[in-house]
Amino acid sequence: MAAATRKFTADDIEAHIQDIQNRRASLARPQVPELDGEDERVRLDGGGYYDSDIYDNANGNKYENYVESIGLDDLDDDDDDGGTTLGKKGVGGTYTAPRLFLNEVVDKDHDPMAQYKRPTIAEREDEYRARRRMQVISPERVDPFADGGKTPDMNARTYAHIIKESRLQGEEAVIRKTMQERAKEGTLQPVVTNGEAQKAAPRKRGRWDQTAEDTPQTKKKATWEAETPSIARWDETPGRPKGSETPGATPGQSTRMWDATPGHATPGHETPGHEKTTPSARRNRWDETPKTDRGETPGHSSGWAETPRTDRGAGDLIQETPTPSASKRRSRWDETPAAQTPSATPSGAMTPSTPHTPSMTPGMMTPGGITPGGTTPVGPKAFGMATPSPAHVNMTPEQIHAFRWEREIDERNRPMTDEELDTLFPPGYEILPPPQGYVPIRTPARKLIATPTPMMGTPQGFYMPKEGMTPKHDDSQPKGNLPLLKPEDAQYFDKLLQDVDEESLSPEEQKERKIMKLLLKIKNGTPPMRKAALRQITDKAREFGAGPLFNQILPLLMSPTLEDQERHLLVKVIDRVLYKLDDLVRPYVHKILVVIEPLLIDEDYYARVEGREIISNLAKAAGLATMISTMRPDIDNIDEYVRNTTARAFAVVASALGIPSLLPFLKAVCKSKKSWQARHTGIKIVQQIAILMGCAILPHLRSLVEIIEHGLIDEQQKVRTITALALAALAEAATPYGIESFDSVLKPLWRGIRQHRGKGLAAFLKAIGYLIPLMDGEYADYYTREVMLILIREFQSPDEEMKKIVLKVVKQCCATDGVEPGYIKEEILPHFFKHFWNHRMALDRRNYRQLVDTTVEIANKVGASEIVNRIVDDLKDENEQYRKMVMETIEKIMANLGAADIDSRLEEQLIDGILYAFQEQTTEDVVMLNGFGTIIVNALGSRVKAYLPQICGTILWRLNNKSAKVRQQAADLISRIAVVMKTCQEEKLMGHLGVVLYEYLGEEYPEVLGSILGALKGIVNVIGMHKMNPPIKDLLPRLTPILKNRHEKVQENCIDLVGRIADRGPEYVSPREWMRICFELLELLKAHKKAIRRATVNTFGYIAKAIGPHDVLATLLNNLKVQERQNRVCTTVAIAIVAETCSPFTVLPGLMNEYRVPELNVQNGVLKSLSFLFEYIGEMGKDYIYAVTSLLEDALMDRDLVHRQTACAAIKHMAIGVYGFGCEDALIHLLNYVWPNIFETSPHLVQAFMDSVEGLRVALGPQKILQYVLQGLFHPARKVRDVYWKIYNNLYIGAQDALVAGYPRIMNMGNNVYTRDELDVIL
């Protein structure tokens, strides 16, 4: 009892706790011996051990990071929960996720929907192509041909201005480059300016120059004598030393001339109520002058409507609140978010900026629209912003008045222009050049709308919405019938968001608004809306004018958020508009080129084609002189990107206006002495002309070569390189003609390959490679031997580009007639295989491709066995990519040359290598499959018989593989080698394969199932129906359910197999099964792939032939009632095929009877069936034309356009089929029903009518049709005449000579003789 009631002292308790903690700390992970797999488990009572990688218990102490004691006060309670260690065993014995996953870095910017977004053009562009967005859309230029070539206005931008600007840019770029180089060397010195050179002795300062803070001892210069800052002092604005942003704010600093008021430095200049303090004194923020909400003028307590006073005393001066001393400790809660101290240098850095309170302000008012500190304005100040916020909509009268007042003040306090500043400053000041590397912001991407600003009273942050109160959203979509406006389009279409009365706008504004609406419809609208807007903007192009149109279209095309589809539509607009505007487009040619030229180097082929089309049309509209004068300054532009795109554009101009018209200009440019860039671009134009126009350069080849030949010996390396590349392009385009035109460049090229190295040598070798195939045999052999010395030396080059060119030249040399096989074997092959046939070449895709092609070309010259012998052992190489390269090379060689010179030893090596390579694949590739198929089947043929059991064993083993790709490849291989197995009489082996494939028809992967069906089809094709194992009667019922599979590959192979069985062995299957298949086939008519639909309708024909047409026809006629048009069209084709297969008389009665069903789809289906039927049966139609005439009469009199359209199509096929069989009476009867459709306007019906008239012209003769046409040729109504002349033109094109006899007789009149006596004799 005494023990129970014993009292523990504080020391005892502490000791007990310490003991427990020590015991916990001593706990360690038990040392578990190595257990075998059976015992390596965690027991139910927790006595085992856990995987330390997952449960993170490596140190054995599960309590290591636990909090061991609770604090006595609340200090520890403020700790965040973030310190909890994760991945440990919890209280309840549960475990969290492994630390690996818990600590996984999640990208906050990750967008899970990114893969579903349509990428913009800007996102996929590389750095080079993205430079297009840095180009400036230049102002419009003067058209020298306008108004009869009168003298242009003095201020207009003429050719002379642009050339001058271009030269200045070039000089500036050279100077900048020199400065950069000298800065790197450390020899760049600041230039002594005029102001520093004329430093005068200090003189007595005027009263106005003194400040209250000045001490008498300090002598300072007057403001107008202050030194002009040197170019190294970009951190200061002239006349404003650091710290003087707020005039008079910092004691001890002098003020300059452009402080707010010259006299403000006199006593009393401090802000009223603000005592003068020393900088080091600690100041309380509550002592500072509070600022009113509306302006920065303390002491001005007048109402909003009062005129600003000018009669102020010294204590009433307008200033900003003094900046607190830098030493004052400021709380971070006092700062405005994102506030920045106004920098001393304006962003433009071009002219000294005006201060916050300009001295010229009328009334000396401080601007109230924008906060000087650059922070986001709130409240009434925010009315100076660009974007209206929702709170602007409902304003009180006081706010409206304040808004007007602020706007007026802002207008008065606008920044000064250069002219105003020039009048203010005394002489000696200069506008400083911008700092090195400064680029003004010009791109449309930056011209975004200012951020909407919250107004006073706007709830900021989150708040709970009240019940029944729906938030009012600002309507950011345009009014009227316009498509949705994307946020990124707002900067281009913002005027449509303003609800204005269009009647009150000026004509120009109305025009601008109209164009904006049409462009928005084209860019974002639905297809019908887009079509209508495109037609409207095209028709009214001249009315709108070139300026308003291009000023809106071109910035849109420069948008960084543009998508491919949107660009395509806008380019289409430009194309249509160009056609209409014609010569009005001349002042805007450069603008258009800036936007369109980048399309010429786009990675999308269709974008390049569109770009060429636009520039071609532009050249035709503007003329050669305008194109040359516009693009000439860009030829020697300092930016390589501009020169590149300009060269390509000139090539398009040459193709549009003809090469001869551009030759004199090219000659002048290529011989330019002033700039190597011009020569380089001129030669590049020739290269691009050759690439673009191909063999069309042949008539001008000699002229083009003469223009550029001097470039091979130019002093500039880049010019020499581009000349060689241009000659290569010309030779490639001229192949195999024109070697005589290149006589003058052969010697410089041969001299060049000995003098050059690197890229220059590569270009020269490329030119020679294209010239050698043009030569006669003896010359080709001589020049090949000469160039081969250089090529063999360059085999060792590590440069990838050089390797490609060397391989290409070797290929071209070996393909030339004069080069002897012996020379290639002895001189080229050893070096070639030593340096090129290695693993590294197999890894680069372009090198791989070029090496295979070159090796195949060499094999064509020296024979297959020579090459195959060298590489056959590499089929067993450990590198899979290298094995594939070897396999592809052997496959191509044997496809070209066969296996005639492959001996038995090489044959064994080949089969062994192929089997090894095939089995050792890790990634199943079509290369191995093609190689196996080509070499085994086509090349070796029956020689492969001995190896077939081994090959089939490999196939069967791979058909059992767990990888779907392996099974698919094995099945594909069966379909490839089925033909050679038949040749080798291995029918038993094929039967065994057939049974195995039949058992695998339950395959779950559709790709594999498709291949298995393809393999069965291959076996059925070669073995025949009667020998097929499994029997057809077992196989076909198994295929019927597979027809329901929706995978295209399965459908296509299955329907092909069923069709083949229906064609060759229908007797093995019961009619009931065939009918079941018919019903399944109807579903296949809905397939997207045309090949499946075609196979299906053909199968209907086979089945109808097998079991008779009636049941099949009943099924098909019933299908005419469905809604989908594609299904009905396929059904009509199937009916026609059944009619062709089983003779028309078995189908026509049922078909015509079906026409009595009063349903539009059915009747149109019947007519379409008749159309296809007469197309297929051809001359057999003579027996059935009279039977269907009454049905066609009825259709041609129907009110429905489609009835008449389809009947016209049927009559066309019928007339062409029965030509020459004496059915003219029925055809003339039908022509009388067709002819009234001559004035129809539906495009489809018009086309069907013209087709039927053409068919009847063939059957009845052109004279009959001419008699119908003559009545309307000279009708007074133009719309009538147009149609008749259209038919007459077709008659004239189709049977011009035959019409002579049908022309009406006209009697001779005076001197005009119309009679044709020879014709009378013949008649």
Side-chain angles (χ1 to χ4, degrees):
M1 188 68 185
T5 57
R6 178 190 166 198
K7 291 187 178 179
F8 291 99
T9 63
D11 293 337
D12 291 337
I13 294 168
E14 284 290 330
H16 187 60
I17 290 170
Q18 188 64 42
D19 182 45
I20 293 170
Q21 288 179 353
N22 289 339
R23 275 191 292 167
R24 282 184 179 173
S26 66
L27 284 173
R29 177 182 171 182
Q31 297 300 315
V32 180
E34 285 295 317
L35 301 172
D36 58 2
E38 187 63 30
D39 293 326
E40 195 176 341
R41 294 185 290 244
V42 178
R43 292 209 305 271
L44 188 62
D45 58 359
Y49 71 97
Y50 296 97
D51 189 335
S52 61
D53 290 339
I54 298 176
Y55 299 115
D56 200 14
N57 199 16
N59 59 4
N61 186 359
K62 62 181 180 180
Y63 302 115
E64 181 191 4
N65 291 325
Y66 280 39
V67 177
E68 296 181 345
S69 60
I70 300 171
L72 298 177
D73 52 14
D74 297 328
L75 292 175
D76 291 339
D77 292 345
D78 292 336
D79 292 343
D80 293 336
D81 292 336
T84 307
T85 306
L86 301 171
K88 301 291 182 188
K89 187 173 179 181
V91 177
T94 58
Y95 285 83
T96 64
R99 183 177 292 175
L100 168 70
F101 299 112
L102 291 168
N103 294 345
E104 186 178 13
V105 179
V106 178
D107 184 9
K108 292 177 182 175
D109 299 327
H110 174 65
D111 181 6
M113 303 300 289
Q115 59 179 327
Y116 301 107
K117 288 181 181 174
R118 283 190 293 183
T120 61
I121 296 164
E123 285 170 2
R124 69 153 196 260
E125 281 177 331
D126 55 22
E127 190 181 347
Y128 183 75
R129 290 189 175 95
R131 282 159 72 175
R132 71 182 175 85
R133 295 200 297 281
M134 302 302 292
Q135 305 304 314
V136 183
I137 300 181
S138 59
E140 60 202 64
R141 303 181 177 184
V142 69
D143 178 10
F145 302 104
D147 303 324
K150 72 172 186 181
T151 308
D153 182 20
M154 282 180 64
N155 298 323
R157 272 169 63 81
T158 60
Y159 178 71
H161 287 106
I162 293 148
I163 287 289
K164 197 179 292 181
E165 285 172 16
S166 177
R167 282 184 186 153
L168 280 171
Q169 284 175 2
E171 288 170 16
E172 182 188 355
V174 170
I175 291 167
R176 281 188 188 285
K177 192 175 179 184
T178 310
M179 285 171 65
Q180 285 173 351
E181 288 169 358
R182 289 179 63 184
K184 284 178 186 173
E185 295 165 4
T187 58
L188 186 65
Q189 299 293 334
V191 179
V192 179
T193 57
N194 194 27
E196 289 177 352
Q198 298 177 358
K199 282 187 179 176
R203 63 177 187 136
K204 186 178 178 183
R205 300 179 66 182
R207 176 165 69 91
W208 299 103
D209 301 326
Q210 294 174 2
T211 61
E213 291 81 15
D214 283 347
T215 57
Q217 289 82 9
T218 310
K219 289 282 182 185
K220 293 225 175 191
K221 293 172 67 176
T223 309
W224 46 82
E225 290 178 17
E227 63 188 59
T228 307
S230 69
I231 56 174
R233 290 176 56 200
W234 289 109
D235 54 337
E236 296 180 15
T237 309
R240 291 179 64 193
K242 292 175 182 176
S244 66
E245 288 86 350
T246 309
T250 313
Q253 295 282 342
S254 70
T255 53
R256 296 291 178 104
M257 169 195 129
W258 39 48
D259 284 335
T261 312
H264 86 288
T266 53
H269 71 92
E270 296 91 353
T271 307
H274 177 56
E275 273 122 35
K276 198 168 181 179
T277 59
T278 58
S280 61
R282 178 162 179 141
R283 297 167 62 185
N284 191 333
R285 60 190 175 119
W286 300 106
D287 298 335
E288 293 171 17
T289 311
K291 293 175 100 173
T292 59
D293 215 2
R294 76 160 220 272
E296 286 77 12
T297 315
H300 180 41
S301 57
S302 54
W304 286 110
E306 186 177 333
T307 309
R309 295 184 298 169
T310 56
D311 53 340
R312 298 178 183 276
D316 209 8
L317 289 168
I318 303 165
Q319 299 169 37
E320 295 183 359
T321 308
T323 309
S325 168
S327 65
K328 174 191 178 301
R329 183 176 176 185
R330 301 182 64 192
S331 167
R332 64 190 177 112
W333 302 108
D334 301 333
E335 295 174 7
T336 311
Q340 294 171 351
T341 309
S343 64
T345 311
S347 61
M350 294 295 288
T351 55
S353 78
T354 55
H356 298 313
T357 313
S359 57
M360 294 296 288
T361 307
M364 311 308 294
M365 296 301 292
T366 308
I370 299 169
T371 313
T375 57
T376 308
V378 180
K381 284 191 256 180
F383 282 98
M385 62 199 168
T387 311
S389 71
H392 285 181
V393 183
N394 302 314
M395 291 193 290
T396 61
E398 288 81 13
Q399 284 176 320
I400 293 169
H401 198 72
F403 177 41
R404 287 178 184 155
W405 186 80
E406 293 283 344
R407 192 167 56 183
E408 182 183 350
I409 293 299
D410 283 349
E411 179 58 27
R412 292 179 185 178
N413 286 347
R414 61 177 171 74
M416 290 187 175
T417 61
D418 286 359
E419 290 76 14
E420 288 173 342
L421 289 169
D422 287 342
T423 57
L424 278 175
F425 294 157
Y429 285 92
E430 63 184 31
I431 298 175
L432 294 172
Q436 183 178 340
Y438 167 73
V439 180
I441 295 174
R442 292 190 180 114
T443 53
R446 308 279 177 85
K447 297 174 185 170
L448 297 170
I449 311 167
T451 310
T453 310
M455 309 301 299
M456 274 188 72
T458 305
Q460 298 186 20
F462 177 79
Y463 66 96
M464 292 294 290
K466 296 177 183 176
E467 279 191 47
M469 294 282 289
T470 53
K472 294 181 180 177
H473 296 291
D474 183 23
D475 188 14
S476 59
Q477 294 301 326
K479 303 283 188 296
N481 182 27
L482 290 173
L484 199 68
L485 187 66
K486 299 178 187 174
E488 57 266 26
D489 292 339
Q491 55 182 321
Y492 305 107
F493 300 105
D494 54 347
K495 291 189 179 176
L496 296 179
L497 298 174
Q498 301 167 7
D499 201 6
V500 295
D501 178 17
E502 296 197 8
E503 297 299 323
S504 61
L505 298 175
S506 66
E508 284 73 24
E509 288 172 328
Q510 286 182 359
K511 198 183 291 180
E512 182 190 20
R513 204 171 165 84
K514 181 70 176 166
I515 293 169
M516 216 175 267
K517 284 182 180 177
L518 291 172
L519 285 177
L520 183 59
K521 286 179 179 178
I522 290 168
K523 187 174 179 291
N524 295 349
T526 58
M529 189 186 286
R530 191 186 300 149
K531 193 175 179 183
L534 196 58
R535 183 172 294 157
Q536 202 171 347
I537 206 168
T538 309
D539 294 343
K540 294 187 176 178
R542 289 188 86 88
E543 183 187 320
F544 287 142
L549 278 169
F550 291 126
N551 288 341
Q552 291 200 49
I553 297 170
L554 299 180
L556 270 172
L557 272 164
M558 294 285 273
S559 166
T561 57
L562 205 65
E563 295 170 8
D564 284 300
Q565 166 74 355
E566 293 170 344
R567 179 175 69 179
H568 165 71
L569 294 167
L570 291 169
V571 166
K572 188 189 274 190
V573 173
I574 292 182
D575 196 26
R576 301 268 181 94
V577 161
L578 276 181
Y579 181 73
K580 285 284 184 181
L581 290 173
D582 203 37
D583 57 347
L584 294 179
V585 86
R586 281 181 185 144
Y588 306 93
V589 168
H590 193 263
K591 275 189 177 194
I592 297 168
L593 286 174
V594 165
V595 176
I596 299 297
E597 277 178 355
L599 292 181
L600 299 177
I601 57 169
D602 196 273
E603 59 189 20
D604 179 18
Y605 168 75
Y606 296 102
R608 298 198 297 273
V609 170
E610 281 178 342
R612 289 201 284 268
E613 196 177 331
I614 294 280
I615 293 173
S616 175
N617 291 344
L618 186 62
K620 290 169 187 168
L624 180 67
T626 303
M627 295 304 288
I628 288 177
S629 63
T630 304
M631 295 161 76
R632 165 64 189 87
D634 290 339
I635 278 181
D636 53 0
N637 192 294
I638 206 70
D639 186 357
E640 188 277 331
Y641 174 86
V642 176
R643 299 201 304 272
N644 181 17
T645 52
T646 303
R648 290 163 192 270
F650 258 119
V652 178
V653 172
S655 72
L657 303 178
I659 295 175
S661 59
L662 214 60
L663 281 177
F665 171 72
L666 282 177
K667 194 169 188 177
V669 170
C670 292
K671 293 191 174 165
S672 166
K673 290 190 174 69
K674 286 186 182 175
S675 106
W676 70 266
Q677 285 100 336
R679 297 198 298 276
H680 183 277
T681 312
I683 294 165
K684 190 164 195 168
I685 292 169
V686 174
Q687 179 205 21
Q688 293 298 325
I689 288 173
I691 292 168
L692 185 64
M693 300 186 67
C695 63
I697 58 138
L698 275 169
H700 321 286
L701 184 58
R702 189 180 292 277
S703 308
L704 290 169
V705 173
E706 284 170 1
I707 284 172
I708 65 171
E709 64 184 3
H710 65 275
L712 290 173
I713 51 173
D714 196 276
E715 60 196 16
Q716 273 286 340
Q717 172 64 42
K718 288 186 175 178
V719 176
R720 297 199 293 272
T721 304
I722 194 66
T723 307
L725 292 173
L727 287 168
L730 287 168
E732 185 181 10
T735 305
Y737 309 105
I739 185 62
E740 59 281 353
S741 301
F742 293 98
D743 285 341
S744 57
V745 295
L746 289 176
K747 276 186 182 175
L749 281 172
W750 250 260
R751 210 172 292 125
I753 62 171
R754 286 169 173 76
Q755 293 171 351
H756 289 82
R757 289 285 183 278
K759 281 188 178 178
L761 175 60
F764 275 69
L765 285 174
K766 188 174 183 181
I768 288 172
Y770 279 105
L771 284 173
I772 285 177
L774 308 185
M775 299 177 182
D776 293 337
E778 58 206 69
Y779 293 110
D781 186 40
Y782 169 74
Y783 281 111
T784 298
R785 289 170 187 269
E786 290 292 315
V787 79
M788 199 52 72
L789 301 171
I790 309 290
L791 286 173
I792 290 170
R793 187 191 73 203
E794 291 302 321
F795 278 0
Q796 304 170 39
S797 169
D799 182 27
E800 298 296 325
E801 202 59 41
M802 178 63 89
K803 280 183 179 174
K804 289 184 191 70
I805 288 172
V806 166
L807 283 169
K808 180 80 174 167
V809 177
V810 169
K811 177 188 170 187
Q812 288 164 324
C813 292
C814 293
T816 309
D817 287 341
V819 182
E820 297 296 325
Y823 170 73
I824 296 173
K825 278 182 194 174
E826 293 160 18
E827 300 294 329
I828 300 175
L829 282 188
H831 301 285
F832 179 78
F833 279 98
K834 179 184 173 186
H835 291 109
F836 286 122
W837 275 90
N838 52 47
H839 292 173
R840 189 177 170 190
M841 292 296 284
L843 297 175
D844 180 7
R845 191 69 199 157
R846 283 179 63 193
N847 280 343
Y848 174 119
R849 192 73 286 122
Q850 191 64 57
L851 179 57
V852 170
D853 290 348
T854 305
T855 311
V856 171
E857 200 60 60
I858 293 174
N860 290 343
K861 203 76 168 190
V862 301
S865 61
E866 185 71 35
I867 303 297
V868 175
N869 257 319
R870 289 176 184 262
I871 60 174
V872 70
D873 289 335
D874 290 339
L875 281 170
K876 292 189 175 183
D877 192 273
E878 72 276 1
N879 185 314
E880 184 175 2
Q881 194 62 28
Y882 186 64
R883 291 200 302 265
K884 282 181 184 171
M885 186 166 79
V886 174
M887 181 70 123
E888 190 170 344
T889 308
I890 294 176
E891 178 218 325
K892 289 191 172 181
I893 289 171
M894 297 188 75
N896 286 347
L897 303 172
D901 57 345
I902 303 283
D903 57 24
S904 58
R905 169 80 184 128
L906 187 54
E907 177 189 303
E908 281 178 23
Q909 284 180 288
L910 201 54
I911 299 287
D912 188 37
I914 289 171
L915 277 171
Y916 176 86
F918 186 72
Q919 289 178 56
E920 292 298 316
Q921 296 174 82
T922 53
T923 55
E924 279 60 39
D925 200 337
V926 74
V927 172
M928 289 295 176
L929 198 60
N930 288 342
F932 214 127
T934 305
I935 296 165
I936 303 289
V937 180
N938 299 336
L940 294 172
S942 57
R943 291 166 66 177
V944 111
K945 183 177 173 70
Y947 312 103
L948 277 178
Q950 187 186 356
I951 292 169
C952 288
T954 304
I955 290 171
L956 289 171
W957 178 71
R958 289 177 76 83
L959 271 175
N960 254 330
N961 197 295
K962 65 179 179 181
S963 166
K965 279 274 187 189
V966 173
R967 297 200 301 274
Q968 180 185 341
Q969 200 185 35
D972 286 334
L973 189 55
I974 293 174
S975 58
R976 302 277 178 104
I977 65 168
V979 176
V980 82
M981 289 173 82
K982 170 72 173 170
T983 311
C984 299
Q985 281 104 35
E986 289 284 353
E987 289 169 2
K988 187 178 177 184
L989 202 54
M990 287 172 72
H992 179 53
L993 284 175
V995 171
V996 173
L997 290 170
Y998 174 74
E999 288 167 358
Y1000 281 120
L1001 282 176
E1003 171 65 53
E1004 57 179 323
Y1005 287 93
E1007 290 285 349
V1008 185
L1009 181 57
S1011 295
I1012 289 171
L1013 289 166
L1016 276 170
K1017 184 175 67 176
I1019 292 173
V1020 166
N1021 283 345
V1022 296
I1023 204 171
M1025 297 296 155
H1026 56 289
K1027 291 183 182 177
M1028 181 62 192
N1029 195 12
I1032 297 298
K1033 65 182 176 57
D1034 295 335
L1035 178 60
L1036 194 71
R1038 193 74 195 277
L1039 296 176
T1040 311
I1042 298 176
L1043 286 170
K1044 289 191 176 78
N1045 195 306
R1046 284 287 157 265
H1047 193 273
E1048 284 188 345
K1049 183 179 178 184
V1050 176
Q1051 283 183 334
E1052 191 170 0
N1053 282 318
C1054 191
I1055 191 65
D1056 277 349
L1057 183 51
V1058 170
R1060 189 56 52 94
I1061 293 170
D1063 184 26
R1064 304 242 183 113
E1067 65 276 9
Y1068 295 105
V1069 184
S1070 66
R1072 188 187 298 276
E1073 187 63 39
W1074 283 126
M1075 279 310 298
R1076 191 177 294 121
I1077 287 174
C1078 273
F1079 288 118
E1080 296 295 343
L1081 291 180
L1082 292 178
E1083 285 300 308
L1084 288 179
L1085 294 175
K1086 299 176 188 172
H1088 294 295
K1089 201 170 181 183
K1090 192 176 181 182
I1092 297 172
R1093 301 198 301 268
R1094 189 188 294 124
T1096 306
V1097 294
N1098 286 333
T1099 306
F1100 273 116
Y1102 298 139
I1103 295 173
K1105 191 175 180 183
I1107 65 170
H1110 303 294
D1111 290 334
V1112 177
L1113 185 62
T1115 309
L1116 291 171
L1117 289 175
N1118 205 36
N1119 206 42
L1120 286 176
K1121 296 184 173 70
V1122 298
Q1123 283 304 308
E1124 300 105 315
R1125 180 182 175 275
Q1126 177 183 295
N1127 207 332
R1128 294 199 312 272
V1129 170
C1130 291
T1131 304
T1132 59
V1133 175
I1135 291 170
I1137 288 174
V1138 169
E1140 182 193 14
T1141 313
C1142 305
S1143 296
F1145 67 84
T1146 60
V1147 172
L1148 268 177
L1151 194 59
M1152 292 174 67
N1153 187 57
E1154 197 68 21
Y1155 188 78
R1156 294 163 61 184
V1157 176
E1159 195 178 326
L1160 210 61
N1161 284 345
V1162 175
Q1163 292 186 342
N1164 284 330
V1166 169
L1167 289 167
K1168 207 159 196 64
S1169 297
L1170 286 174
S1171 174
F1172 286 125
L1173 190 150
F1174 280 106
E1175 183 180 357
Y1176 292 166
I1177 65 173
E1179 60 188 40
M1180 273 201 295
K1182 68 180 187 300
D1183 301 320
Y1184 306 103
I1185 184 169
Y1186 295 102
V1188 297
T1189 300
S1190 57
L1191 188 148
L1192 292 172
E1193 278 176 27
D1194 183 79
L1196 288 166
M1197 289 191 292
D1198 202 287
R1199 287 180 63 183
D1200 179 40
L1201 290 175
V1202 184
H1203 272 68
R1204 285 179 274 149
Q1205 174 191 322
T1206 323
C1208 284
I1211 288 168
K1212 175 186 88 169
H1213 294 302
M1214 187 190 293
I1216 292 170
V1218 302
Y1219 167 56
F1221 287 101
C1223 303
E1224 286 78 9
D1225 51 348
L1227 291 177
I1228 288 176
H1229 178 66
L1230 289 170
L1231 174 59
N1232 292 328
Y1233 284 95
V1234 168
W1235 198 261
N1237 292 290
I1238 191 169
F1239 297 120
E1240 285 294 343
T1241 53
S1242 163
H1244 294 291
L1245 180 49
V1246 167
Q1247 188 59 49
F1249 168 77
M1250 297 301 289
D1251 286 347
S1252 64
V1253 169
E1254 278 293 288
L1256 290 163
R1257 172 183 69 76
V1258 171
L1260 297 173
Q1263 293 92 349
K1264 275 277 184 258
I1265 308 296
L1266 182 67
Q1267 289 167 358
Y1268 282 78
V1269 170
L1270 285 174
Q1271 58 187 322
L1273 283 180
F1274 305 102
H1275 194 278
R1278 183 179 57 81
K1279 283 193 175 182
V1280 174
R1281 288 199 307 273
D1282 282 353
V1283 184
Y1284 276 92
W1285 275 105
K1286 190 176 177 184
I1287 297 171
Y1288 175 74
N1289 289 339
N1290 284 347
L1291 277 177
Y1292 190 81
I1293 291 166
Q1296 178 187 349
D1297 50 345
L1299 283 177
V1300 175
Y1303 289 142
R1305 285 179 175 275
I1306 303 174
M1307 302 308 295
N1308 295 344
M1309 297 169 59
N1311 296 329
N1312 299 325
V1313 178
Y1314 297 110
T1315 53
R1316 298 176 296 283
D1317 298 323
E1318 299 88 352
L1319 186 63
D1320 287 343
V1321 169
I1322 292 167
L1323 292 175

